[in-house]
């Protein structure tokens, strides 16, 4: 990550160096304030990971679940928190991706590749999200998440994935906009392969 001024960067607000204040601390999230800026911080994780998973027969793996924060059923890619397990707070993003993929979808992968990392919502949260590509998927279970989740797994032909997502939106599902970035990463491996 760059440490000095960036070329063509926007100016830093004067209150960016103001002391950070805690407005509220819950079990999972803390509300903070710095100058006039308010934002959320996760208390128990080192970020999040989105897994780009494609089956051997070229189907993109999506998950469906109800999200209480928006009171809607969502379509997402398999994902989860990094370092949210007691005793594994320093968990590596690739280990978290492997764990979440199998837990949510029932797929195990042969290997993983880091693709990209960026903020989940830069104006609202400090959380960073990593995209990770899972390769060589093998079905080892039913998926569905852990005992706190009720996840439905969908496998959609890659060539039809964009249309499928828009069709689900027309039915009333909330579609995570990051899915379209994920599909782009899947279709353009040359952009992120090292």
């Amino acid at each position: 990550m760059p440490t000095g001024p960036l070329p063509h960067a926007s100016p830093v607000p004067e209150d960016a160096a103001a002391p950070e204040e805690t407005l509220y601390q819950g079990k999972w999230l803390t509300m903070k304030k710095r100058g006039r800026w308010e934002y959320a911080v996760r208390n128990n994780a080192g970020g999040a990971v989105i897994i780009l998973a494609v089956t051997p027969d070229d189907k993109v793996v999506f998950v469906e679940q109800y999200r209480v924060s928006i009171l809607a059923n969502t379509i997402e890619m398999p994902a989860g928190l990094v370092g949210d397990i007691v005793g594994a707070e320093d968990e590596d993003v690739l280990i978290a991706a492997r764990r979440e993929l199998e837990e949510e979808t029932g797929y195990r992968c042969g290997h993983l590749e880091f693709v990209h990392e960026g903020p989940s919502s830069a104006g609202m949260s400090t959380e960073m999200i990593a995209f990770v590509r899972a390769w060589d998927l093998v079905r080892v279970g039913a998926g569905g998440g852990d005992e706190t989740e009720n996840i439905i797994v969908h496998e959609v032909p890659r060539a039809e994935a964009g249309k499928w997502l828009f069709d689900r939106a027309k039915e009333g599902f909330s579609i995570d906009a990051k899915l379209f970035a994920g599909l782009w990463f899947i279709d353009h491996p040359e952009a992120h392969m090292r």
Side-chain angles (χ1 to χ4, degrees):
M1 188 175 263
T3 56
L6 300 173
H8 310 291
S10 59
V12 176
E14 288 182 22
D15 53 354
E20 187 176 66
E21 302 173 51
T22 297
L23 302 176
Y24 169 80
Q25 184 166 350
K27 182 177 180 181
W28 306 106
L29 295 172
T30 296
M31 264 310 276
K32 299 250 181 173
K33 180 178 181 182
R34 185 181 303 272
R36 67 184 187 274
W37 309 98
E38 296 176 349
Y39 48 94
V41 177
R42 283 199 185 274
N43 297 337
N44 65 324
V49 62
I50 296 174
I51 302 105
L52 311 170
V54 181
T55 66
D57 56 347
D58 205 30
K59 293 181 179 176
V60 179
V61 180
F62 294 108
V63 293
E64 172 189 331
Q65 59 187 315
Y66 189 84
R67 293 293 194 175
V68 172
S69 59
I70 61 171
L71 300 176
N73 282 295
T74 66
I75 303 292
E76 305 167 10
M77 286 179 167
L81 297 177
V82 178
D84 66 328
I85 296 175
V86 175
E89 291 82 3
D90 61 348
E91 178 180 43
D92 182 80
V93 69
L94 297 179
I95 292 170
R98 186 176 301 278
R99 173 178 51 79
E100 291 289 348
L101 177 66
E102 188 170 336
E103 180 182 291
E104 291 192 358
T105 70
Y107 277 104
R108 189 170 291 154
C109 61
H111 71 281
L112 294 157
E113 173 193 8
F114 174 85
V115 175
H116 180 72
E117 182 180 66
S120 63
S121 178
M124 189 186 77
S125 173
T126 62
E127 179 180 65
M128 298 298 281
I129 294 183
F131 284 86
V132 170
R133 179 71 153 93
W135 298 93
D136 305 323
L137 270 57
V138 175
R139 168 82 67 190
V140 295
D146 65 22
E147 65 280 351
T148 67
E149 299 170 309
N150 187 14
I151 293 173
I152 298 170
V153 179
H154 297 280
E155 296 177 15
V156 180
R158 187 164 56 100
E160 300 167 19
K163 180 183 180 323
W164 185 84
L165 291 172
F166 283 115
D167 287 347
R168 299 299 75 75
K170 289 176 189 171
E171 293 173 358
F173 286 89
S174 176
I175 306 300
D176 184 341
K178 292 181 290 298
L179 296 182
F180 297 101
L183 291 175
W184 189 88
F185 287 136
I186 289 169
D187 286 342
H188 295 88
E190 72 284 353
H192 55 83
M193 295 188 97
R194 297 175 193 180

